[in-house]
Amino acid sequence: MRGRLDVVNADLLGWWLCERQLPSGGLNGRPEKLPDVCYSWWVLASLSILGRLHWIDSDRLSSFILACQDAETGGFADRPGDMPDPFHTLFGLAALSLMGHESVAPVDATLCMPTYVLKKLNLIPQRM
């Protein structure tokens, strides 16, 4: 269904996605689950594509993501106090990028790649 956002109720889906934000500021993938840094990417990318990124409390989410960073070894974990790994590091940085953090290069919400790389390779995705 590529290019068929017209068949999606963007407000209803956006509402459901925003309901994933928990009091900690983090996001979960479905109700009754713990927050996880990787959902910061999945939810924010979806909201960005829907044009509803501003519906999330980005200050609280940024605080949650940064609390998952390991100051000694670097990288991000799924949640504060856990071990960092490449998977959660990628999605934590990509989520910070979508929220406009100046220390992270802009990332495309569709491909999860830096936009400067996509431009250099002439691979900028077309928004439908």
Side-chain angles (χ1 to χ4, degrees), residues 114-124:
T115 55
Y116 76 88
V117 171
L118 296 172
K119 286 178 184 174
K120 188 179 253 186
L121 298 173
N122 200 27
L123 296 173
I124 298 296

Side-chain angles (χ1 to χ4, degrees), residues 4 11 25 41 49 55-56 58 61-62 76 81 84 93 104 115:
R4 293 301 316 265
D11 287 340
W41 165 256
I49 291 166
W55 286 9
I56 284 288
S58 60
L61 179 55
S62 293
F76 292 86
L93 289 171
V104 185
T115 55

Side-chain angles (χ1 to χ4, degrees), residues 34-127:
L34 294 173
D36 188 317
V37 163
C38 67
Y39 288 110
S40 302
W41 165 256
W42 299 117
V43 171
L44 287 183
S46 299
L47 287 169
S48 178
I49 291 166
L50 294 171
R52 307 295 190 280
L53 189 58
H54 61 283
W55 286 9
I56 284 288
D57 186 332
S58 60
D59 290 336
R60 285 180 37 228
L61 179 55
S62 293
S63 293
F64 174 80
I65 294 170
L66 293 173
C68 297
Q69 187 176 20
D70 189 313
E72 287 184 29
T73 63
F76 292 86
D78 56 348
R79 53 191 62 89
D82 287 355
M83 293 295 295
D85 62 75
F87 179 81
H88 289 93
T89 299
L90 167 67
F91 290 134
L93 289 171
L96 290 171
S97 172
L98 285 180
M99 291 185 287
H101 281 252
E102 294 178 7
S103 60
V104 185
V107 171
D108 180 78
T110 305
L111 298 177
C112 192
M113 291 183 64
T115 55
Y116 76 88
V117 171
L118 296 172
K119 286 178 184 174
K120 188 179 253 186
L121 298 173
N122 200 27
L123 296 173
I124 298 296
Q126 300 297 314
R127 297 282 184 232

